[in-house]
Amino acid sequence: MGNLWDNDWLQRDGWSCLPVQHGMRCRGLKISVYGSGYVGLVTAACFAEMGNLVLCMDVDQQRIANLRQGIVTICEKDLDEMVAQALRLGTLQFTCDVQAAVAHGEFQFIAVGTPAREDGAADLSAVEQVARHIAEHMAEDRIIVIKSTVPVGTLDRVRAIVTGLLEQRRHDAVALFVANPEFLKEGHAVADCLKPDRIVIGTDSPQAARAMQLLYQPFNRKNDRLLVMEPRSAELTKYAANAMLATKISFMNELAAIAQRVGADVEHVRLGIGADPRIGFHFIYPGCGFGGSCLPKDLSALIHTARSTDYHPDLLEAVAAVNASQKQLLFRKLLHHFDGNLQGARIALWGLAFKPGTNDMREAPSRTLMEALWAHGAVVQAFDPLAMEETRRLYPDQERLVLAPNAAAALQGADALVIVTEWNLFRAPDFALMRQCLRRRLLIDGRNLYDPELVARHGLVYDAIGRSSRTPSAAS
């Protein structure tokens, strides 16, 4: 085995040479990224930011046409500016030509979607299709990297597809394979990509490991955050991380249910346990359930993987069950306050995205709530700083949906207000305006944003998560 920093070591191992001199890259690397969605576009833009030559490929012609003009429809901090700059500098280009993408990149990143199937398993059809395209068109050695979130064993499946097709073609090009899961938080994805807390590399190839070390050199300068492991461990690490976060959320939501029944305040409990450094404060905020494109899907896929090995994942199934119930909690609270009859009620919603900083409404608690309200004859008056267009796209023909231009407008003529997403914009509201507008003076807080006593002093009925309900004080 040659030395990574020796400029001809890869050639001696029958591998085409990467541009290295004296342990440093002597030019930007050529990278192809398949998929221009959330993960693919962020990955492509961040690699281009570091001076690499990136070609991002997608089959969606309209999306590619928009991206070529610098039109980014994903709401992610700094992403549109980064894409625009990379287009100006020529470090990032977009194409629908898969053959061009295969020819371009020394590194071939697969970052396509893996949505959940009806049985909970991840749909790998797009991943496998990209693998076939690469194998059908590659004429030179390539490093194939799976960035998509995939079940354990997927890299082996991709390896079998690619090597099998190369053998059929009787082509002597060499492919190396790497699992490189992403750990991006929506709303902070660019920062997470540029300054990662860990870079997980799953491969059984020393050459591929060293090539990935070279690729991530600009992201890994101050501290060595590169973790090299076998591919199946890398694949499981991604699911394990999201399952742990989901577990913390469901644990706090179950604790909130107990707190409300025994007369405790879960926010005080949260502070008490979070002060323990073994626990910490991350992801121990009770609320109305987790959503988004990652936690629900990845939890479901991990449960499916466990069952496929004849193991019953009791804890993971409980986490999913608690979350499903929690996403119904806001509706149950409304139904209680309206004595079981919501026909004709007008309910104001503040927040539609599944979390602040994004317009993503996949698996969002707001959708569960709105659909239940509509089924019971209620009208929804909603506002969200970023997710209004996405809401229109999802519910284009819903006559009981009113999208308000701002938070105050959503209150006009409403019977009650429900806080669904904890946007900073909602943290210091005009409680006097709420009292004036809300016909029932009812505020249901799905994110525990407010001080119950303060709300009660403003003459509002306050019902939050894991806290005793407050009625208006006599002084109000």
Side-chain angles (χ1 to χ4, degrees):
M1 180 63 60
N3 186 329
L4 172 64
W5 310 128
D6 181 337
N7 201 34
D8 64 357
W9 74 270
L10 287 167
Q11 289 178 330
R12 288 204 301 270
D13 280 353
W15 182 257
S16 60
C17 182
L18 292 175
V20 182
Q21 291 180 352
H22 309 297
M24 299 297 293
R25 311 192 311 177
C26 58
R27 68 159 170 81
L29 300 173
K30 292 183 178 180
I31 303 166
S32 294
V33 177
Y34 298 88
S36 64
Y38 183 80
V39 173
L41 185 58
V42 171
T43 299
C46 289
F47 277 136
E49 177 77 4
M50 294 302 178
N52 299 294
L53 304 176
V54 182
L55 182 61
C56 187
M57 183 269 166
D58 202 297
V59 296
D60 188 328
Q61 296 184 0
Q62 185 58 57
R63 179 181 293 177
I64 290 298
N66 288 338
L67 288 169
R68 284 172 172 168
Q69 299 177 53
I71 300 172
V72 177
T73 57
I74 297 171
C75 291
E76 186 62 49
K77 189 177 186 301
D78 298 328
L79 181 59
D80 50 354
E81 293 91 344
M82 187 176 291
V83 169
Q85 176 174 286
L87 287 171
R88 288 194 301 270
L89 296 176
T91 54
L92 176 60
Q93 295 182 337
F94 297 95
T95 186
C96 292
D97 186 344
V98 67
Q99 191 167 353
V102 176
H104 172 81
E106 298 150 335
F107 295 85
Q108 302 274 307
F109 272 79
I110 302 176
V112 294
T114 54
R117 299 188 325 214
E118 288 188 8
D119 62 357
D123 184 349
L124 297 177
S125 58
V127 171
E128 294 173 351
Q129 184 63 38
V130 172
R132 282 190 285 271
H133 285 318
I134 294 172
E136 289 166 354
H137 296 295
M138 63 181 279
E140 299 176 291
D141 300 347
R142 291 290 181 261
I143 299 175
I144 299 174
V145 185
I146 299 182
K147 178 64 76 172
S148 303
T149 299
V150 295
V152 175
T154 300
L155 193 73
D156 291 337
R157 293 173 64 171
V158 167
R159 188 200 316 269
I161 290 170
V162 173
T163 55
L165 287 173
L166 287 175
E167 289 174 2
Q168 289 180 23
R169 293 176 58 202
R170 299 189 178 185
H171 204 291
D172 59 0
V174 177
L176 301 182
F177 301 88
V178 179
N180 176 216
E182 52 85 14
F183 298 95
L184 307 177
K185 300 186 294 292
E186 287 202 41
H188 301 86
V190 170
D192 289 342
C193 192
L194 294 176
K195 296 181 180 179
D197 48 22
R198 76 276 211 198
I199 303 167
V200 173
I201 304 298
T203 184
D204 49 19
S205 164
Q207 301 103 310
R210 287 197 284 265
M212 293 298 288
Q213 183 179 9
L214 172 71
L215 174 65
Y216 278 108
Q217 201 174 61
F219 302 87
N220 195 37
R221 297 179 65 85
K222 290 185 178 180
N223 298 298
D224 188 4
R225 304 183 187 278
L226 205 74
L227 303 174
V228 180
M229 59 189 72
E230 66 274 13
R232 288 179 175 243
S233 294
E235 292 166 335
L236 183 56
T237 296
K238 168 64 177 183
Y239 281 120
N242 279 347
M244 175 62 78
L245 297 177
T247 300
K248 294 181 74 173
I249 295 170
S250 281
F251 171 79
M252 284 306 298
N253 284 333
E254 186 149 283
L255 201 61
I258 297 170
Q260 192 143 20
R261 285 160 175 77
V262 301
D265 187 328
V266 75
E267 288 301 312
H268 296 161
V269 177
R270 178 180 65 81
L271 295 173
I273 65 174
D276 186 332
R278 297 171 301 173
I279 298 173
F281 289 101
H282 293 298
F283 279 77
I284 63 167
Y285 291 85
C288 49
F290 58 78
S293 62
C294 295
L295 265 60
K297 174 178 71 72
D298 294 353
L299 180 64
S300 177
L302 185 55
I303 290 171
H304 184 274
T305 296
R307 289 173 177 166
S308 71
T309 66
D310 294 325
Y311 178 77
H312 196 87
D314 294 330
L315 176 60
L316 298 181
E317 290 182 345
V319 169
V322 168
N323 190 60
S325 176
Q326 197 72 10
K327 289 168 79 170
Q328 296 284 347
L329 179 59
L330 297 180
F331 175 72
R332 293 198 299 268
K333 286 180 176 290
L334 281 168
L335 205 60
H336 168 75
H337 284 284
F338 281 75
D339 298 322
N341 183 14
L342 285 160
Q343 184 68 39
R346 301 185 75 85
I347 308 300
L349 264 62
W350 281 4
L352 295 165
F354 86 94
K355 63 178 283 189
T358 180
N359 64 345
D360 194 342
M361 291 182 63
R362 286 173 288 185
E363 303 283 343
S366 64
R367 298 181 64 177
T368 302
L369 175 58
M370 289 192 295
E371 290 165 12
L373 287 170
W374 294 328
H376 284 73
V379 174
V380 172
Q381 301 179 175
F383 171 74
D384 186 284
L386 289 181
M388 304 292 270
E389 289 186 12
E390 179 65 4
T391 307
R392 288 191 188 94
R393 185 187 70 81
L394 291 169
Y395 303 108
D397 302 318
Q398 179 51 252
E399 295 179 353
R400 291 193 177 97
L401 172 63
V402 178
L403 294 176
N406 52 58
L411 300 176
Q412 301 300 319
D415 293 291
L417 168 65
V418 183
I419 307 295
V420 186
T421 312
E422 65 275 29
W423 287 95
N424 287 337
L425 182 65
F426 305 147
R427 291 184 181 274
D430 186 341
F431 290 115
L433 180 64
M434 284 187 194
R435 177 179 176 178
Q436 176 185 337
C437 293
L438 299 176
R439 292 185 292 205
R440 292 198 178 216
R441 297 183 180 178
L442 172 61
L443 169 55
I444 296 180
D445 185 357
R447 298 297 179 178
N448 288 0
L449 296 187
Y450 310 126
D451 176 359
E453 297 298 336
L454 175 63
V455 177
R457 286 200 299 271
H458 281 84
L460 295 165
V461 177
Y462 184 65
D463 194 351
I465 308 295
R467 318 179 86 172
S468 298
S469 296
R470 298 294 198 277
T471 56
S473 60
S476 64

